[in-house]
Amino acid sequence: MARWSVRIDPPWSLQAWRDAARLALRHAVAPEQLDWLHGEEASLLDAPSLQGTDAEAGAPHDAPTYVAKVFVELAATCLCHRDPQRLSLLYRMLWRIAHGERSLLSNPTDPDVLRAMALSQAVRRDSHKMKAFVRFREVPGQQDAFIAWFEPEHHIVDRVAPFFARRFAGMRWAILTPGRSAHWDGQALSFGPGGRQSDAPTEDAREELWRTYYANIFNPARLNTRMMQQEMPAKYWKHLPEATLLPQLVRDAGDRVQEMHDRQAQAPRRRIPVPATGAPAVTDTAPATLGALRDAASACRRCPLWEPATQTVFGEGPPNASIMLVGEQPGDSEDLSGHPFVGPAGQLLDRALRELGIERSALYLTNAVKHFRFERRGKRRIHSKPQLTHVNACRPWLMGEIEKVRPQVIVCLGATAATAVFGAGFNLMANHGRWHVLDDATRAFATVHPSWVLRQTGDEAPGNAYQLLKNDLQQLVEIKPTR
Ligand code: URA
């Protein structure tokens, strides 16, 4: 039996694997005849390479094999796994599909399918952990430049880096891992060789403040250690500034809850006195639960909007909601009441939802910016559109809500919410109502903001605008509201 080899570089590249697999398929090289190599690895049986040789130049030009998009997506994810067998596993599956087993992926008991699914799930889990536990630290002496150190289990840096580019578009940052590094200069993403932990700052000036602050907002009554351990496995703790506090906070939780019960009710303090310089660092979405995230956001000083506002207006709704609605920012009524979408825009939204038969209480409603931005005119406070810096400053809270609630569907109400979720440059009127798939597979679309509908004047424009909003929201009707 003739043996061949193919080399893949980098070993997680879908393009490289695809080119090699197509070449082998065109030469009718069966899976058991092919050695998959990467890096400097040599073929054990000295099999000649199919690539860059006469064999490649003279490859027969049969009709290409078309495979379903789900297989390509599965392959892209599996390739990021460290299992050296994944390259040949995927080729064996491709071979079987090309040789008549067109519905291979629909057989969930097939050992190859099972293995590929397990690899893909491990990569997705690792990617999720990277998104949740990367902690950037400010580079001393440089403004707006941050470095994070992270140790992923799999080859996920190229896969996850675009998420950070969107989320922290306004900063310059690098993520160093032992095998690969990603760099964002504010405009473009690039990749390089791995780094060492000592290349990243170990601590930045804000971390002591963050710890003090975390200890203050830690709510022992909400402690759920099982969930905390599930969500934050011990191996990531060493990257988290607050991790050093957790053992003591957990030990003291029982006594503190008792104290809280024994204490007389006190008038709530209006603000937690955190100095302006104590703004939590960019990735301070670490709190393990939605409640802890809400507590942390209530003392946010990440931009100046907190100062004139009455309070942070955090999202509300079931933590297992399938649908998340994201607005722009609280208005006057929301700022005073502390609840999102209770003023005129909220009432219009309620009407549209009611007419569509969608239960508002089953949705999670939040805003891109959590403080009311306004200008004073006499005694009135007039809404003022938040700027990109406010959206960026607030993004960790929104991303934290998305991470904790994990909705199936996100609806952005208006351009500010669309910018927060899809990135700057989203053209709302050209794309309203159109589905997009986010990096973490959440489906999302944007529609007009109810307050834009309220601003329309004339005979027809208000009715048309309302109908547009309703038509877009109609797409939610089929979705089961909670999981
Ligand atoms: N507009 C918004 O975007 N959000 C609210 O909560 C209220 C009005």
Side-chain angles (χ1 to χ4, degrees):
M1 179 180 71
R3 280 204 82 77
W4 294 96
S5 65
V6 279
R7 191 174 297 278
I8 306 302
D9 187 24
W12 55 85
S13 161
L14 177 66
Q15 191 59 48
W17 179 85
R18 226 172 170 177
D19 290 346
R22 280 190 180 137
L23 182 65
L25 217 50
R26 285 210 305 273
H27 278 282
V29 179
E32 54 281 10
Q33 289 176 277
L34 193 60
D35 290 349
W36 289 84
L37 309 173
H38 50 79
E40 300 297 306
E41 222 172 47
S43 164
L44 269 185
L45 300 174
D46 219 12
S49 173
L50 262 184
Q51 294 153 311
T53 61
D54 294 348
E56 185 167 18
H61 289 281
D62 289 351
T65 301
Y66 290 105
V67 287
K69 199 167 156 219
V70 289
F71 178 76
V72 179
E73 284 167 1
L74 180 68
T77 317
C78 285
L79 285 168
C80 299
H81 202 282
R82 279 197 193 278
D83 181 350
Q85 300 304 323
R86 72 199 183 286
L87 302 166
S88 49
L89 165 75
L90 290 169
Y91 184 61
R92 190 163 59 245
M93 292 173 74
L94 178 67
W95 176 269
R96 292 175 60 189
I97 293 169
H99 287 82
E101 293 187 59
R102 303 292 308 172
S103 44
L104 175 65
L105 291 189
S106 324
N107 179 359
T109 58
D110 181 274
D112 284 347
V113 175
L114 274 175
R115 180 71 191 139
M117 295 292 186
L119 298 187
S120 144
Q121 197 185 15
V123 168
R124 278 187 277 117
R125 199 176 315 117
D126 201 29
S127 306
H128 176 69
K129 297 294 177 215
M130 181 165 171
K131 288 178 190 171
F133 297 125
V134 154
R135 290 288 177 274
F136 288 104
R137 270 134 188 176
E138 201 154 20
V139 181
Q142 289 199 36
Q143 234 199 334
D144 257 356
F146 298 83
I147 298 185
W149 169 254
F150 191 71
E151 293 169 49
E153 280 178 20
H154 302 292
H155 303 294
I156 55 168
V157 174
D158 295 52
R159 178 186 162 87
V160 181
F163 164 85
F164 288 100
R166 278 195 301 280
R167 183 156 167 185
F168 301 119
M171 306 166 5
R172 288 177 300 128
W173 54 256
I175 300 175
L176 308 182
T177 79
R180 184 105 168 136
S181 56
H183 307 257
W184 172 255
D185 62 5
Q187 311 220 303
L189 203 50
S190 57
F191 297 92
R196 284 167 313 186
Q197 183 163 13
S198 56
D199 297 333
T202 46
E203 171 100 10
D204 72 15
R206 310 180 209 205
E207 280 179 22
E208 199 40 52
L209 275 161
W210 166 241
R211 272 193 284 269
T212 311
Y213 164 76
Y214 186 89
N216 276 302
I217 54 99
F218 178 86
N219 185 344
R222 289 220 175 103
L223 178 66
N224 178 341
T225 45
R226 197 174 58 83
M227 199 165 130
M228 210 160 147
Q229 276 161 2
Q230 251 173 26
E231 290 288 319
M232 202 203 285
K235 75 172 252 201
Y236 299 107
W237 283 37
K238 60 178 185 267
H239 301 299
L240 308 178
E242 66 274 25
T244 50
L245 300 175
L246 283 170
Q248 190 64 44
L249 289 172
V250 171
R251 268 197 300 277
D252 293 348
D255 293 346
R256 287 185 56 200
V257 173
Q258 191 54 49
E259 249 175 57
M260 283 160 81
H261 282 303
D262 298 344
R263 213 181 303 144
Q264 293 284 333
Q266 293 176 352
R269 277 179 297 168
R270 185 164 169 262
R271 285 194 177 116
I272 298 172
V274 178
T277 50
V282 282
T283 48
D284 289 345
T285 51
T289 62
L290 192 59
L293 190 69
R294 166 195 300 275
D295 290 344
S298 70
C300 181
R301 305 289 184 266
R302 294 176 48 79
C303 79
L305 293 189
W306 69 274
E307 180 116 53
T310 310
Q311 57 194 313
T312 305
V313 180
F314 200 72
E316 284 181 358
N320 61 343
S322 309
I323 302 173
M324 177 181 282
L325 262 49
V326 183
E328 180 195 68
Q329 64 164 354
D332 188 68
S333 320
E334 288 81 14
D335 171 77
L336 296 173
S337 69
H339 303 290
F341 285 103
V342 292
Q347 284 157 22
L348 185 85
L349 178 67
D350 285 352
R351 183 181 139 202
L353 293 172
R354 210 171 35 248
E355 287 175 10
L356 290 166
I358 300 171
E359 192 72 48
R360 168 177 164 147
S361 60
L363 311 181
Y364 188 91
L365 267 80
T366 189
N367 284 297
V369 172
K370 311 268 190 258
H371 281 117
F372 178 35
R373 181 166 194 246
F374 59 90
E375 283 167 23
R376 279 195 192 280
R377 289 217 199 116
K379 285 196 174 156
R380 293 178 63 211
R381 303 190 304 169
I382 308 295
H383 166 276
S384 164
K385 191 174 155 61
Q387 294 174 336
L388 191 58
T389 51
H390 305 127
V391 174
N392 285 340
C394 236
R395 183 173 282 114
W397 304 124
L398 176 63
M399 293 302 151
E401 288 175 293
I402 295 174
E403 271 165 28
K404 304 294 178 220
V405 177
R406 300 231 198 134
Q408 273 167 28
V409 165
I410 297 176
V411 180
C412 304
L413 298 170
T416 302
T419 299
V421 172
F422 299 120
F426 184 88
N427 184 336
L428 179 64
M429 282 332 241
N431 290 298
H432 72 87
R434 200 175 284 169
W435 286 103
H436 299 261
V437 179
L438 303 180
D439 212 41
D440 61 357
T442 314
R443 296 193 310 139
F445 70 80
T447 186
V448 291
H449 195 286
S451 58
W452 175 82
V453 176
L454 289 173
R455 283 198 304 275
Q456 302 303 304
T457 53
D459 291 340
E460 295 189 356
N464 291 343
Y466 180 65
Q467 203 49 49
L468 188 159
L469 172 69
K470 244 179 96 175
N471 285 349
D472 286 346
L473 293 179
Q474 169 95 42
Q475 303 185 94
L476 303 177
V477 167
E478 297 303 317
I479 298 167
K480 196 166 156 267
T482 46
R483 297 185 302 274

